[in-house]
Amino acid sequence: MLPTKAVNYAVKSGALSEFRSFLGLAIPLASAQIAQFAVSFVDTIMMGHLGTAQLAAGGLAASTFQMALTVITGFVVSVGVLAAEAIGATAQTETRDSDFRATKDNSRLTGLARQGMWMCLLISVPFTLLLLNMSPMLRLLQQSEDVTVLAQQYFTAIAFGVLPAMGFAMLRGYTSAFSLANVVTVIVLIGTAFNVACNYVLGFGKLGLPRLELVGLGIGSGLSLWLMFWLFVVYIFRHPLLQQYRFWRGWKHPNLSILRQLSQVGAPIAVTFSLELGLFSAVSYAAGSLGTEVLAAHQIAFQTIALIFMVPLGMSQATVARVGLWFGKGDSYGMRRAGIVAIACTVCFLSASSLALYIFRPFMVGLFLDTQAPENAAVVNLAMDLLLVSVAVQIMDGVQRVAMSALYGLQDTGVPMILSAIAYWGIGLTTSYLLCFFVGWGVVGLWIGQYTGIAVAGTIFVWRFWQLTRQYHHT
């Protein structure tokens, strides 16, 4: 038996190694998420300079697009989950866990990526058609006619960017399983810079082009999504390791067996995403029913919080890869250690960001509106209140996402889906509705209610991850 000091040293050494490996993957993924979300963030800022009506309608459309896109990309998250397990299972025991030595039997990894592309195509087509016909749904959700018309303009313009956005998400998860994430940051930064330029030129009518406003912003964002996808494809074609898995060759027809495996893992993830983001969407549309000024304040606060949330979202993607790798190796200690390190890093970051947000709330609101203009006073005050709510509770929001992803790394997707339905909708949405319309707290009540559901979900996910890793240790 090893002496106690030796055991403690081994534990600390393993945690430090995991910390380094996690940050090596999480930092580029989080940076890429921030840059990618900047597409929507920049759109919303530019919408504010087009007018309050454009900010309200366009912000609603942009956030709805991003949230709906996140839901459908949940299906292709399964590619990264299963790829990480396959790599962990085939890696040599003497190889460092941050490296991967290719084996002759690479058909599984090749098949996962190939069928992931098929899944992207099969899901993108109906979603694109839905975006082209959103007006009836907007009216059903009691949005004003002005908001409906303007939002549909944005939906129609950006609809052609759905397929490349899904393809990019699938390839990002696939390459992350190989611990190849640095290129994602570079590609997204290029795409974001291109998007800002296109939005400025097309939205405001520069360089002799007509002023297209929301239509121009949507077109610019769609073009940037195509650019990022093709840059990623070129990188994969040229990378020495990934060239061994030539999934782009022999891409003739769907493989129902692999698609079924991807769906069994991905469908519950997509449903869970839809439950979480559906809660945010329901709150957004409830805010819209309270008036244009309330919706504008909600969009300002939501876009600000969503930008910060991109960091724990990137951490969650790294968590899937790290936990999935140890799961493939069958190492219960490694699974738990990877999850704990990810949650600890998330808490540290969000603690610092909460303090920064509290201090710089006026600055963030000022990015969207002239805070000194009397006509903007109501919107500014509401946005400040909503940001104050998020300061108090955003740590739990990040923890629940990372803990959820740790469960995905264990390929535990069905139970989290059921728990999400209870926490997000049974508790979160119900509390939002009661605080807003019965207690009379308005949009602030909506926000407190949604975060109540998220806090419950985070607590449950952390507890379940701990229980499952303990079970794996005893089996």
Side-chain angles (χ1 to χ4, degrees):
M1 180 178 295
L2 290 174
T4 302
K5 290 185 178 181
V7 173
N8 291 336
Y9 175 79
V11 171
K12 292 179 180 179
S13 177
L16 181 60
S17 176
E18 180 61 40
F19 176 76
R20 291 172 176 169
S21 297
F22 174 76
L23 287 186
L25 193 55
I27 290 175
L29 287 174
S31 301
Q33 281 296 146
I34 292 173
Q36 190 170 12
F37 182 78
V39 171
S40 174
F41 189 76
V42 170
D43 278 2
T44 308
I45 290 176
M46 291 185 175
M47 290 167 189
H49 291 282
L50 292 173
T52 301
Q54 284 82 356
L55 172 61
L60 181 66
S63 60
T64 300
F65 173 78
Q66 288 292 336
M67 288 189 288
L69 186 64
T70 300
V71 170
I72 63 174
T73 54
F75 285 96
V76 296
V77 168
S78 57
V79 175
V81 172
L82 295 178
E85 179 206 1
I87 291 172
T90 56
Q92 299 293 332
T93 55
E94 71 271 16
T95 304
R96 293 174 55 191
D97 61 26
S98 60
D99 298 325
F100 174 69
R101 183 179 302 169
T103 63
K104 295 181 179 179
D105 184 14
N106 57 20
S107 59
R108 177 164 173 75
L109 288 166
T110 301
L112 286 172
R114 186 177 296 155
Q115 299 309 310
M117 291 303 299
W118 270 114
M119 183 170 284
C120 290
L121 180 61
L122 294 173
I123 296 175
S124 295
V125 172
F127 182 60
T128 300
L129 294 175
L130 175 63
L131 289 177
L132 295 174
N133 298 276
M134 282 291 290
S135 294
M137 184 176 296
L138 293 173
R139 295 188 180 98
L140 182 65
L141 293 170
Q142 299 182 351
Q143 303 305 297
S144 68
E145 189 61 26
D146 289 342
V147 168
T148 298
V149 171
L150 290 172
Q152 183 61 68
Q153 292 178 2
Y154 184 86
F155 283 131
T156 301
I158 202 173
F160 77 101
V162 173
L163 178 59
M166 284 204 68
F168 182 88
M170 190 281 292
L171 294 177
R172 180 182 58 203
Y174 183 71
T175 54
S176 295
F178 292 87
S179 295
L180 301 174
N182 290 328
V183 68
V184 179
T185 305
V186 177
I187 291 174
V188 173
L189 287 174
I190 294 173
T192 302
F194 178 78
N195 175 71
V196 172
C198 284
N199 284 358
Y200 181 70
V201 171
L202 298 176
F204 294 90
K206 304 299 180 179
L207 301 180
L209 295 175
R211 181 185 174 97
L212 299 178
E213 297 194 347
L214 292 182
V215 173
L217 299 183
I219 293 174
S221 298
L223 290 174
S224 70
L225 292 172
W226 275 106
L227 175 64
M228 290 188 291
F229 172 71
W230 283 114
L231 287 175
F232 213 153
V233 170
V234 171
Y235 168 79
I236 290 175
F237 281 2
R238 297 176 62 87
H239 194 278
L241 173 60
L242 298 177
Q243 282 183 347
Q244 301 178 51
Y245 309 93
R246 300 175 184 269
F247 61 85
W248 54 89
R249 294 187 177 181
W251 196 58
K252 298 179 180 179
H253 56 77
N255 184 308
L256 296 181
S257 176
I258 298 179
L259 283 175
R260 189 179 301 110
Q261 295 176 31
L262 292 174
S263 298
Q264 288 173 346
V265 175
I269 295 176
V271 172
T272 303
F273 284 177
S274 69
L275 292 169
E276 179 186 8
L277 298 177
L279 171 63
F280 289 117
S281 293
V283 169
S284 294
Y285 284 103
S289 69
L290 298 175
T292 301
E293 289 185 340
V294 174
L295 179 57
H298 170 83
Q299 289 303 326
I300 291 172
F302 179 81
Q303 291 292 326
T304 302
I305 294 307
L307 179 64
I308 296 174
F309 187 71
M310 291 304 104
V311 174
L313 185 59
M315 290 179 172
S316 72
Q317 296 165 2
T319 304
V320 171
R322 293 302 304 169
V323 175
L325 182 70
W326 291 110
F327 179 75
K329 292 181 177 182
D331 187 334
S332 60
Y333 283 119
M335 300 175 212
R336 177 175 290 188
R337 184 171 58 240
I340 292 174
V341 166
I343 292 172
C345 289
T346 303
V347 170
C348 290
F349 168 79
L350 289 177
S351 297
S353 69
S354 295
L355 177 60
L357 180 60
Y358 178 78
I359 296 172
F360 294 107
R361 283 182 301 149
F363 171 77
M364 296 305 299
V365 175
L367 291 176
F368 296 88
L369 292 174
D370 181 1
T371 57
Q372 302 303 315
E375 63 272 19
N376 294 333
V379 177
V380 170
N381 290 334
L382 268 179
M384 292 284 286
D385 289 342
L386 296 179
L387 288 176
L388 189 59
V389 172
S390 66
V391 165
V393 293
Q394 66 172 323
I395 292 177
M396 186 55 71
D397 193 9
V399 168
Q400 68 90 23
R401 173 49 68 95
V402 170
M404 179 196 303
S405 297
L407 293 175
Y408 293 161
L410 301 177
Q411 298 187 21
D412 178 43
T413 58
V415 173
M417 177 183 67
I418 297 172
L419 296 175
S420 296
I422 297 172
Y424 298 146
W425 289 79
I427 298 175
L429 188 60
T430 301
T431 306
S432 291
Y433 185 82
L434 292 175
L435 292 178
C436 175
F437 297 104
F438 284 86
V439 179
W441 289 359
V443 68
V444 173
L446 290 175
W447 275 54
I448 293 175
Q450 73 179 4
Y451 279 118
T452 300
I454 287 171
V456 171
T459 303
I460 295 174
F461 292 155
V462 171
W463 174 82
R464 180 164 177 80
F465 176 75
W466 187 265
Q467 291 297 111
L468 286 180
T469 51
R470 186 170 67 176
Q471 290 177 15
Y472 284 126
H473 174 65
H474 291 297
T475 57

